[in-house]
Coordinates of all heavy atoms in Angstrom, one line a residue:
M12 N 0.8 -1.2 0.0 CA 0.1 -0.1 0.1 C 0.9 1.3 0.0 O 0.5 2.2 -0.6 CB -0.9 0.0 1.2 CG -2.1 -0.9 1.0 SD -3.3 -0.9 2.5 CE -2.4 -1.7 3.7
K13 N 1.9 1.2 0.7 CA 2.8 2.3 0.8 C 3.4 2.9 -0.6 O 3.5 4.0 -0.8 CB 4.0 2.2 1.7 CG 3.7 1.7 3.2 CD 3.7 2.9 4.1 CE 3.4 2.4 5.4 NZ 3.2 3.5 6.3
E14 N 3.5 1.8 -1.4 CA 4.0 2.2 -2.8 C 3.0 3.1 -3.5 O 3.5 3.7 -4.3 CB 4.3 0.9 -3.6 CG 4.9 1.1 -4.9 CD 5.1 -0.3 -5.7 OE1 5.3 -1.3 -4.9 OE2 5.2 -0.2 -6.9
Y15 N 1.7 2.7 -3.4 CA 0.7 3.5 -4.1 C 0.1 4.5 -3.3 O -0.9 5.2 -3.7 CB -0.4 2.6 -4.5 CG 0.1 1.4 -5.4 CD1 0.5 0.1 -5.0 CD2 0.5 1.7 -6.7 CE1 1.0 -0.8 -5.7 CE2 1.0 0.7 -7.6 CZ 1.3 -0.6 -7.1 OH 1.7 -1.5 -7.9
D16 N 0.5 4.9 -2.1 CA 0.0 5.8 -1.2 C 0.2 7.3 -1.7 O 1.3 7.7 -2.0 CB 0.4 5.7 0.2 CG -0.2 6.5 1.2 OD1 -1.5 6.9 1.0 OD2 0.4 6.9 2.2
A17 N -1.0 8.1 -1.8 CA -0.9 9.4 -2.2 C -2.2 10.0 -1.7 O -3.1 9.3 -1.5 CB -0.7 9.6 -3.7
P18 N -2.3 11.4 -1.6 CA -3.4 12.0 -0.9 C -4.7 11.5 -1.9 O -5.9 11.5 -1.4 CB -3.3 13.4 -1.1 CG -1.8 13.5 -0.8 CD -1.1 12.3 -1.6
E19 N -4.5 11.3 -3.3 CA -5.6 11.1 -4.1 C -5.9 9.6 -4.3 O -6.7 9.2 -5.0 CB -5.4 11.7 -5.5 CG -4.2 11.2 -6.2 CD -3.0 11.8 -5.9 OE1 -2.7 12.6 -5.0 OE2 -1.9 11.4 -6.5
S20 N -5.1 8.8 -3.5 CA -5.3 7.3 -3.7 C -6.6 6.8 -2.8 O -6.9 7.4 -1.8 CB -4.1 6.5 -2.9 OG -2.9 6.9 -3.8
L21 N -7.2 5.9 -3.4 CA -8.3 5.2 -2.7 C -8.1 3.7 -2.5 O -7.9 3.0 -3.5 CB -9.7 5.5 -3.4 CG -10.9 4.7 -2.8 CD1 -11.2 5.2 -1.3 CD2 -12.1 4.9 -3.6
F22 N -8.0 3.3 -1.3 CA -7.9 1.7 -1.1 C -9.2 1.2 -0.5 O -9.7 1.7 0.4 CB -6.7 1.7 0.1 CG -5.4 2.0 -0.3 CD1 -5.0 3.4 0.0 CD2 -4.5 1.3 -1.1 CE1 -3.7 4.0 -0.3 CE2 -3.2 1.8 -1.4 CZ -2.9 3.2 -1.0
Y23 N -9.6 0.0 -1.2 CA -10.6 -0.8 -0.7 C -10.1 -2.0 0.0 O -9.4 -2.7 -0.8 CB -11.7 -1.1 -1.6 CG -12.7 -2.1 -1.1 CD1 -13.7 -1.5 -0.2 CD2 -12.8 -3.3 -1.4 CE1 -14.7 -2.4 0.4 CE2 -13.7 -4.2 -0.8 CZ -14.6 -3.7 0.1 OH -15.6 -4.5 0.7
L24 N -10.3 -2.2 1.3 CA -9.7 -3.3 1.9 C -10.8 -4.2 2.5 O -11.7 -3.8 3.2 CB -8.8 -2.9 3.1 CG -7.6 -2.0 2.7 CD1 -6.9 -1.5 3.9 CD2 -6.7 -2.6 1.6
D25 N -10.9 -5.5 2.2 CA -11.7 -6.5 2.7 C -10.9 -7.6 3.3 O -10.8 -8.7 2.6 CB -12.7 -6.9 1.7 CG -13.8 -7.8 2.2 OD1 -14.1 -7.6 3.5 OD2 -14.5 -8.4 1.6
P26 N -10.2 -7.4 4.4 CA -9.3 -8.4 5.0 C -10.1 -9.7 5.6 O -11.3 -9.6 5.8 CB -8.7 -7.8 6.1 CG -9.7 -6.6 6.6 CD -10.3 -6.2 5.4
P27 N -9.4 -10.7 5.8 CA -10.0 -11.8 6.5 C -10.6 -11.4 7.8 O -10.0 -10.7 8.5 CB -8.9 -12.9 6.6 CG -7.8 -12.5 5.6 CD -8.0 -11.0 5.5
Y28 N -11.9 -11.8 8.2 CA -12.4 -11.4 9.4 C -12.0 -12.3 10.6 O -11.5 -13.4 10.4 CB -14.0 -11.5 9.3 CG -14.6 -10.7 8.2 CD1 -15.7 -11.1 7.5 CD2 -14.0 -9.4 7.8 CE1 -16.3 -10.3 6.6 CE2 -14.6 -8.8 6.8 CZ -15.7 -9.1 6.1 OH -16.2 -8.4 5.2
L29 N -12.1 -11.6 11.7 CA -11.7 -12.4 12.9 C -12.8 -13.5 13.2 O -13.9 -13.1 13.0 CB -11.4 -11.5 14.1 CG -10.2 -10.6 14.0 CD1 -10.3 -9.5 15.1 CD2 -8.9 -11.5 14.3
A30 N -12.5 -14.6 13.5 CA -13.5 -15.6 13.7 C -14.4 -15.2 14.9 O -15.5 -15.4 15.0 CB -12.8 -17.0 14.0
S31 N -13.8 -14.5 15.8 CA -14.6 -14.0 17.0 C -15.5 -13.1 16.7 O -16.5 -12.7 17.5 CB -13.6 -13.5 18.1 OG -12.9 -12.3 17.6
T32 N -15.6 -12.4 15.6 CA -16.6 -11.4 15.2 C -17.7 -12.0 14.4 O -18.6 -11.3 14.1 CB -15.8 -10.3 14.5 OG1 -15.5 -10.7 13.2 CG2 -15.0 -9.6 15.2
R33 N -17.6 -13.2 14.1 CA -18.7 -13.8 13.2 C -19.9 -14.1 14.1 O -19.8 -14.4 15.3 CB -18.1 -15.1 12.5 CG -16.9 -14.8 11.7 CD -17.1 -14.0 10.6 NE -17.1 -14.8 9.3 CZ -17.2 -14.5 8.2 NH1 -17.8 -13.3 8.0 NH2 -17.1 -15.3 7.1
A34 N -21.1 -14.2 13.3 CA -22.3 -14.7 13.9 C -22.2 -16.1 14.5 O -22.8 -16.4 15.5 CB -23.4 -14.6 12.8
Q35 N -21.4 -16.9 13.9 CA -21.1 -18.3 14.3 C -19.7 -18.5 14.6 O -18.9 -18.9 13.8 CB -21.7 -19.2 13.4 CG -23.1 -19.2 13.0 CD -23.5 -20.1 11.8 OE1 -22.8 -20.7 11.1 NE2 -24.8 -20.3 11.6
P36 N -19.2 -17.9 15.7 CA -17.7 -18.0 15.9 C -17.1 -19.3 15.8 O -16.0 -19.3 15.5 CB -17.6 -17.4 17.5 CG -18.9 -16.7 17.7 CD -19.9 -17.4 16.8
G37 N -17.8 -20.5 16.1 CA -17.1 -21.7 16.0 C -17.1 -22.3 14.6 O -16.5 -23.2 14.3
A38 N -17.8 -21.5 13.7 CA -17.8 -22.2 12.3 C -16.5 -21.9 11.6 O -15.8 -21.0 11.9 CB -18.8 -21.3 11.5
Q39 N -16.1 -22.8 10.8 CA -14.8 -22.8 10.0 C -15.0 -22.1 8.6 O -15.9 -22.6 7.9 CB -14.4 -24.2 9.8 CG -14.0 -25.0 11.1 CD -12.8 -24.3 11.8 OE1 -11.9 -23.9 11.2 NE2 -12.9 -24.2 13.1
Y40 N -14.3 -21.0 8.5 CA -14.3 -20.3 7.3 C -12.9 -20.4 6.7 O -11.8 -20.1 7.4 CB -14.8 -18.8 7.5 CG -16.1 -18.7 7.9 CD1 -16.5 -18.6 9.3 CD2 -17.2 -18.5 7.0 CE1 -17.7 -18.4 9.7 CE2 -18.5 -18.5 7.4 CZ -18.8 -18.4 8.8 OH -20.0 -18.3 9.1
E41 N -12.8 -20.7 5.5 CA -11.6 -21.0 4.8 C -10.6 -19.8 4.9 O -9.5 -19.8 5.0 CB -11.9 -21.3 3.3 CG -10.6 -21.7 2.6 CD -11.0 -22.3 1.3 OE1 -12.0 -23.0 1.1 OE2 -10.2 -22.0 0.3
V42 N -11.2 -18.5 4.9 CA -10.5 -17.3 4.8 C -10.3 -16.6 6.1 O -9.6 -15.6 6.2 CB -11.0 -16.2 3.7 CG1 -10.9 -16.8 2.4 CG2 -12.4 -15.8 4.1
D43 N -10.9 -17.2 7.2 CA -10.6 -16.5 8.6 C -9.4 -16.9 9.2 O -9.4 -17.7 10.0 CB -11.9 -16.9 9.3 CG -13.1 -16.2 9.1 OD1 -13.1 -15.1 8.3 OD2 -14.2 -16.5 9.4
T44 N -8.3 -16.4 8.6 CA -7.0 -16.8 9.0 C -6.2 -15.8 9.9 O -5.2 -16.0 10.4 CB -6.2 -17.4 7.8 OG1 -6.0 -16.3 7.0 CG2 -6.7 -18.6 7.3
A45 N -6.6 -14.5 9.8 CA -6.1 -13.4 10.4 C -6.2 -13.5 11.9 O -7.2 -13.8 12.4 CB -6.7 -12.1 10.0
T46 N -5.1 -13.2 12.6 CA -5.1 -13.0 14.0 C -5.4 -11.6 14.5 O -5.3 -10.7 13.8 CB -3.8 -13.6 14.6 OG1 -2.8 -12.6 14.1 CG2 -3.5 -15.0 14.2
E47 N -5.6 -11.5 15.8 CA -5.7 -10.1 16.4 C -4.5 -9.3 16.1 O -4.4 -8.2 15.6 CB -5.9 -10.1 17.8 CG -7.2 -10.8 18.4 CD -8.2 -9.7 18.5 OE1 -8.0 -8.6 18.3 OE2 -9.6 -10.2 18.5
A48 N -3.2 -9.9 16.2 CA -2.0 -9.2 15.8 C -2.0 -8.8 14.4 O -1.5 -7.6 14.1 CB -0.9 -10.1 16.3
W49 N -2.4 -9.6 13.6 CA -2.4 -9.3 12.1 C -3.3 -8.1 11.9 O -2.8 -7.2 11.2 CB -2.8 -10.6 11.3 CG -2.7 -10.4 9.8 CD1 -1.6 -10.6 9.0 CD2 -3.7 -9.7 9.0 NE1 -1.9 -10.3 7.7 CE2 -3.1 -9.8 7.7 CE3 -5.1 -9.2 9.1 CZ2 -3.9 -9.3 6.5 CZ3 -5.7 -8.8 8.1 CH2 -5.2 -8.8 6.7
H50 N -4.5 -8.2 12.5 CA -5.3 -6.9 12.4 C -4.7 -5.7 12.9 O -4.9 -4.6 12.4 CB -6.7 -7.3 12.9 CG -7.6 -8.0 12.0 ND1 -8.6 -7.3 11.3 CD2 -7.7 -9.2 11.6 CE1 -9.2 -8.2 10.5 NE2 -8.7 -9.4 10.7
R51 N -4.1 -5.8 14.1 CA -3.5 -4.5 14.6 C -2.5 -4.0 13.8 O -2.3 -2.8 13.4 CB -2.9 -4.9 16.0 CG -4.0 -4.9 17.1 CD -3.3 -5.0 18.5 NE -2.4 -6.1 18.7 CZ -2.8 -7.3 19.1 NH1 -4.1 -7.5 19.3 NH2 -1.9 -8.3 19.3
E52 N -1.6 -4.9 13.1 CA -0.6 -4.4 12.0 C -1.1 -3.7 10.9 O -0.8 -2.7 10.5 CB 0.3 -5.6 11.8 CG 1.4 -5.2 10.8 CD 2.3 -6.5 10.5 OE1 2.5 -7.3 11.3 OE2 2.9 -6.4 9.5
L53 N -2.3 -4.4 10.4 CA -3.0 -3.8 9.3 C -3.5 -2.5 9.7 O -3.4 -1.5 9.0 CB -4.1 -4.7 8.8 CG -5.0 -4.1 7.7 CD1 -4.3 -3.9 6.4 CD2 -6.2 -4.9 7.4
L54 N -4.1 -2.3 10.8 CA -4.7 -1.0 11.2 C -3.6 0.1 11.4 O -3.9 1.1 11.1 CB -5.5 -1.1 12.5 CG -6.8 -1.9 12.3 CD1 -7.5 -2.2 13.7 CD2 -7.8 -1.2 11.4
E55 N -2.6 -0.4 11.9 CA -1.4 0.6 12.0 C -1.0 1.1 10.7 O -0.7 2.3 10.5 CB -0.2 -0.1 12.7 CG -0.4 -0.3 14.2 CD 0.8 -1.2 15.0 OE1 1.8 -1.2 14.3 OE2 0.5 -1.4 16.0
T56 N -0.9 0.2 9.7 CA -0.5 0.6 8.3 C -1.6 1.6 7.8 O -1.3 2.6 7.2 CB -0.4 -0.7 7.5 OG1 0.7 -1.5 8.0 CG2 0.0 -0.3 6.1
V57 N -2.8 1.1 7.9 CA -4.0 1.9 7.4 C -4.0 3.4 8.0 O -4.1 4.3 7.3 CB -5.3 1.2 7.6 CG1 -6.4 2.3 7.4 CG2 -5.4 0.0 6.7
L58 N -3.7 3.5 9.3 CA -3.7 4.8 9.9 C -2.6 5.7 9.5 O -2.6 6.8 9.6 CB -3.7 4.5 11.5 CG -4.9 4.1 12.0 CD1 -4.8 3.6 13.6 CD2 -6.2 5.0 11.9
S59 N -1.3 5.1 9.0 CA -0.3 5.9 8.6 C -0.4 6.3 7.0 O 0.3 7.2 6.5 CB 1.0 5.0 8.6 OG 1.0 4.0 7.7
L60 N -1.6 5.9 6.3 CA -1.7 6.2 5.0 C -2.1 7.8 4.8 O -2.9 8.1 5.5 CB -2.7 5.3 4.2 CG -2.2 3.8 4.2 CD1 -3.4 2.9 3.5 CD2 -0.9 3.6 3.3
R61 N -1.7 8.3 3.6 CA -2.2 9.7 3.3 C -3.5 9.5 2.5 O -4.2 10.6 2.5 CB -1.1 10.3 2.5 CG 0.2 10.7 3.4 CD 1.3 11.4 2.5 NE 1.6 10.5 1.4 CZ 2.1 10.8 0.2 NH1 2.1 12.1 -0.1 NH2 2.3 10.0 -0.6
G62 N -3.7 8.4 1.8 CA -4.7 8.2 0.8 C -6.1 7.9 1.7 O -6.1 7.9 2.9
M63 N -7.2 7.7 0.9 CA -8.4 7.3 1.6 C -8.5 5.9 1.7 O -8.0 5.1 0.9 CB -9.4 7.9 0.6 CG -9.4 9.5 0.5 SD -10.4 10.2 -0.8 CE -9.5 9.9 -2.2
V64 N -9.3 5.3 2.6 CA -9.4 3.9 2.8 C -10.8 3.6 3.2 O -11.5 4.3 4.0 CB -8.6 3.3 4.0 CG1 -8.8 2.0 4.2 CG2 -7.1 3.9 3.8
V65 N -11.3 2.6 2.5 CA -12.6 1.9 2.7 C -12.2 0.6 3.4 O -11.7 -0.2 2.6 CB -13.5 1.9 1.6 CG1 -14.9 1.1 2.1 CG2 -13.9 3.3 1.1
L66 N -12.7 0.3 4.6 CA -12.2 -1.0 5.4 C -13.5 -1.8 5.7 O -14.4 -1.2 6.4 CB -11.4 -0.7 6.4 CG -11.0 -1.9 7.3 CD1 -9.9 -2.8 6.5 CD2 -10.2 -1.4 8.5
S67 N -13.8 -2.9 5.2 CA -14.9 -3.7 5.5 C -14.4 -4.6 6.7 O -13.3 -4.9 6.8 CB -15.3 -4.6 4.3 OG -15.6 -3.9 3.2
G68 N -15.3 -5.0 7.5 CA -15.3 -5.8 8.5 C -16.2 -5.7 9.6 O -17.1 -4.9 9.7
Y69 N -16.1 -6.7 10.6 CA -17.0 -6.5 11.9 C -16.2 -5.9 12.9 O -15.0 -6.2 13.2 CB -17.4 -7.9 12.1 CG -18.2 -8.6 11.1 CD1 -17.7 -9.8 10.5 CD2 -19.4 -8.2 10.8 CE1 -18.4 -10.4 9.5 CE2 -20.3 -8.8 9.8 CZ -19.6 -10.0 9.1 OH -20.4 -10.6 8.1
P70 N -16.9 -5.0 13.7 CA -16.1 -4.4 14.9 C -15.7 -5.5 15.9 O -16.5 -6.5 16.1 CB -17.1 -3.3 15.4 CG -18.4 -3.8 14.9 CD -18.2 -4.7 13.6
S71 N -14.6 -5.1 16.6 CA -14.1 -6.0 17.7 C -13.5 -5.1 18.7 O -13.3 -3.9 18.3 CB -13.1 -7.1 17.3 OG -12.0 -6.4 17.0
P72 N -13.5 -5.5 20.0 CA -12.8 -4.6 20.9 C -11.4 -4.0 20.5 O -11.2 -2.8 20.6 CB -12.7 -5.5 22.2 CG -13.9 -6.4 22.0 CD -13.9 -6.8 20.6
S73 N -10.7 -5.0 19.9 CA -9.3 -4.4 19.5 C -9.3 -3.5 18.4 O -8.5 -2.6 18.4 CB -8.3 -5.7 19.1 OG -8.9 -6.3 18.0
T74 N -10.2 -3.7 17.4 CA -10.4 -2.8 16.2 C -10.8 -1.4 16.7 O -10.5 -0.3 16.4 CB -11.1 -3.2 15.1 OG1 -12.3 -3.5 15.5 CG2 -10.5 -4.4 14.5
R75 N -11.8 -1.3 17.8 CA -12.3 0.0 18.3 C -11.2 0.6 19.0 O -11.0 1.8 18.9 CB -13.5 -0.4 19.3 CG -14.7 -0.8 18.5 CD -16.0 -0.9 19.3 NE -17.0 -1.3 18.5 CZ -18.0 -2.1 18.9 NH1 -18.0 -2.7 20.1 NH2 -19.0 -2.4 18.2
R76 N -10.5 -0.1 19.7 CA -9.3 0.6 20.5 C -8.3 1.2 19.5 O -7.8 2.3 19.6 CB -8.5 -0.5 21.3 CG -9.2 -0.6 22.6 CD -8.2 -1.5 23.7 NE -7.8 -2.8 23.1 CZ -8.5 -3.9 23.2 NH1 -9.8 -3.9 23.7 NH2 -8.1 -5.1 22.7
S77 N -8.0 0.5 18.4 CA -7.2 1.0 17.3 C -7.6 2.2 16.8 O -7.0 3.3 16.4 CB -6.9 -0.1 16.3 OG -6.1 -1.2 17.0
W78 N -8.9 2.2 16.3 CA -9.6 3.4 15.7 C -9.5 4.7 16.6 O -9.3 5.9 16.2 CB -10.9 3.1 15.2 CG -11.0 2.2 14.1 CD1 -11.7 1.1 14.0 CD2 -10.2 2.3 12.8 NE1 -11.4 0.4 12.8 CE2 -10.5 1.2 12.0 CE3 -9.3 3.2 12.3 CZ2 -9.9 0.9 10.8 CZ3 -8.8 3.0 11.1 CH2 -9.1 1.8 10.3
S79 N -9.8 4.4 18.0 CA -9.8 5.4 18.9 C -8.4 6.0 19.0 O -8.2 7.2 19.2 CB -10.1 4.9 20.3 OG -11.6 4.5 20.2
A80 N -7.3 5.1 18.9 CA -6.0 5.6 19.0 C -5.6 6.5 17.8 O -4.6 7.3 17.9 CB -5.1 4.3 19.1
G81 N -6.4 6.3 16.7 CA -6.2 7.2 15.6 C -6.4 8.7 15.8 O -6.2 9.5 15.0
G82 N -7.0 8.9 17.0 CA -7.3 10.3 17.4 C -8.3 11.1 16.5 O -8.3 12.3 16.4
G83 N -9.2 10.2 15.8 CA -10.2 10.9 15.1 C -9.7 11.7 13.8 O -10.2 12.7 13.4
S84 N -8.6 11.1 13.4 CA -7.9 12.0 12.2 C -8.6 11.8 11.0 O -8.0 11.2 10.0 CB -6.5 11.4 12.2 OG -6.4 10.0 12.0
G85 N -9.9 12.1 10.8 CA -10.6 12.0 9.6 C -11.2 10.7 9.5 O -12.0 10.5 8.4
W86 N -11.2 9.8 10.4 CA -11.9 8.6 10.3 C -13.4 8.7 10.6 O -13.6 9.4 11.5 CB -11.2 7.5 11.1 CG -9.9 6.9 10.6 CD1 -8.7 7.5 10.7 CD2 -9.7 6.1 9.4 NE1 -7.8 6.9 9.9 CE2 -8.4 6.0 9.2 CE3 -10.6 5.2 8.8 CZ2 -7.8 5.1 8.2 CZ3 -10.0 4.3 8.0 CH2 -8.7 4.3 7.6
R87 N -14.2 7.9 9.8 CA -15.6 7.9 10.1 C -15.9 6.3 10.1 O -15.5 5.6 9.4 CB -16.4 8.5 9.1 CG -16.3 10.2 9.1 CD -17.2 10.7 8.1 NE -16.7 12.2 8.1 CZ -16.8 12.7 6.9 NH1 -17.2 12.2 5.8 NH2 -16.4 14.1 6.9
F88 N -16.9 6.0 11.1 CA -17.2 4.6 11.2 C -18.8 4.5 10.8 O -19.5 5.3 11.5 CB -17.1 4.1 12.7 CG -17.5 2.7 12.9 CD1 -16.9 1.5 12.3 CD2 -18.7 2.4 13.6 CE1 -17.4 0.3 12.5 CE2 -19.2 1.2 13.8 CZ -18.5 0.0 13.2
W89 N -19.1 3.7 9.8 CA -20.5 3.6 9.4 C -20.9 2.2 9.7 O -20.6 1.3 8.8 CB -20.7 3.9 8.0 CG -20.6 5.4 7.6 CD1 -21.6 6.2 7.9 CD2 -19.7 6.1 6.9 NE1 -21.4 7.5 7.5 CE2 -20.1 7.5 6.8 CE3 -18.4 5.8 6.4 CZ2 -19.3 8.4 6.3 CZ3 -17.6 6.7 5.8 CH2 -18.1 8.0 5.7
P90 N -21.6 2.0 10.8 CA -22.0 0.6 11.1 C -23.4 0.3 10.2 O -24.1 1.4 9.8 CB -22.4 0.7 12.5 CG -22.7 2.1 12.8 CD -21.9 2.9 11.9
G91 N -23.6 -0.8 9.8 CA -24.6 -1.2 8.9 C -24.8 -2.6 8.6 O -23.7 -3.4 8.5
A92 N -26.0 -3.0 8.5 CA -26.2 -4.5 8.3 C -26.2 -4.7 6.7 O -26.7 -3.7 6.0 CB -27.4 -5.0 8.9
T93 N -25.8 -5.7 6.2 CA -25.8 -6.0 4.8 C -26.9 -7.2 4.7 O -26.9 -8.2 5.4 CB -24.5 -6.5 4.4 OG1 -24.1 -7.7 5.0 CG2 -23.5 -5.4 4.4
P94 N -27.8 -7.0 3.6 CA -28.7 -8.1 3.4 C -28.3 -9.2 2.5 O -28.8 -9.5 1.6 CB -29.8 -7.3 2.6 CG -29.0 -6.2 1.8 CD -27.9 -5.8 2.8
C95 N -27.2 -9.8 2.8 CA -26.6 -10.8 2.1 C -26.3 -12.0 3.0 O -26.1 -12.0 4.2 CB -25.3 -10.5 1.3 SG -24.0 -10.1 2.4
E96 N -26.3 -13.2 2.5 CA -26.0 -14.3 3.2 C -25.2 -15.4 2.4 O -25.6 -15.7 1.3 CB -27.2 -15.1 3.6 CG -27.1 -16.4 4.5 CD -28.5 -16.8 4.8 OE1 -29.5 -16.1 5.0 OE2 -28.7 -18.1 5.0
G97 N -24.0 -15.7 2.8 CA -23.1 -16.5 1.9 C -23.3 -18.0 2.6 O -23.4 -18.3 3.6
R98 N -23.4 -18.8 1.5 CA -23.5 -20.3 1.8 C -22.6 -21.0 0.8 O -22.5 -20.8 -0.3 CB -25.0 -20.8 1.5 CG -26.0 -20.1 2.5 CD -27.2 -20.7 2.4 NE -28.2 -20.0 3.3 CZ -29.4 -20.3 3.5 NH1 -29.8 -21.3 2.9 NH2 -30.1 -19.6 4.3
I99 N -22.1 -22.1 1.4 CA -21.3 -23.0 0.6 C -22.2 -24.3 0.4 O -22.6 -24.8 1.3 CB -19.9 -23.3 1.3 CG1 -19.1 -22.1 1.4 CG2 -19.2 -24.5 0.5 CD1 -17.9 -22.3 2.1
G100 N -22.2 -24.7 -0.9 CA -22.9 -26.0 -1.1 C -24.4 -25.8 -1.7 O -25.0 -24.9 -1.5

């Protein structure tokens, strides 16, 4: 991201979700491999960018702490439900 970062850049990030934030925390999802530490590192990178960022995900206590640490530097949080349901099979 740093290579493409500029004030006019727009990044859309849809990282693997934390299993603890899912509606069914015990369910196995092929892409839910990110750890709390991985998410913290991603958020630190995102908070250092000069460009704009759209970040998808479910809120968790650690992500809320990270956004609060950003000091309100232009970040907005839009909670909302999505009318979709993924199924395998």
Side-chain angles (χ1 to χ4, degrees):
M12 287 185 282
K13 300 264 185 194
E14 180 180 342
Y15 298 102
D16 189 25
E19 64 276 4
S20 298
L21 173 63
F22 299 94
Y23 173 69
L24 306 175
D25 189 17
Y28 301 149
L29 291 166
S31 63
T32 64
R33 302 295 246 171
Q35 298 174 350
Q39 295 295 319
Y40 293 93
E41 189 175 321
V42 295
D43 287 338
T44 57
T46 63
E47 292 273 348
W49 186 91
H50 272 262
R51 281 192 300 276
E52 185 177 327
L53 174 65
L54 291 171
E55 287 174 15
T56 300
V57 165
L58 289 169
S59 73
L60 295 173
R61 296 177 299 148
M63 300 165 281
V64 177
V65 176
L66 178 65
S67 297
Y69 298 111
S71 72
S73 64
T74 56
R75 287 188 179 142
R76 282 191 300 276
S77 295
W78 291 126
S79 297
S84 57
W86 283 95
R87 295 185 188 141
F88 176 71
W89 282 289
T93 56
C95 63
E96 182 178 327
R98 293 184 186 188
I99 297 175

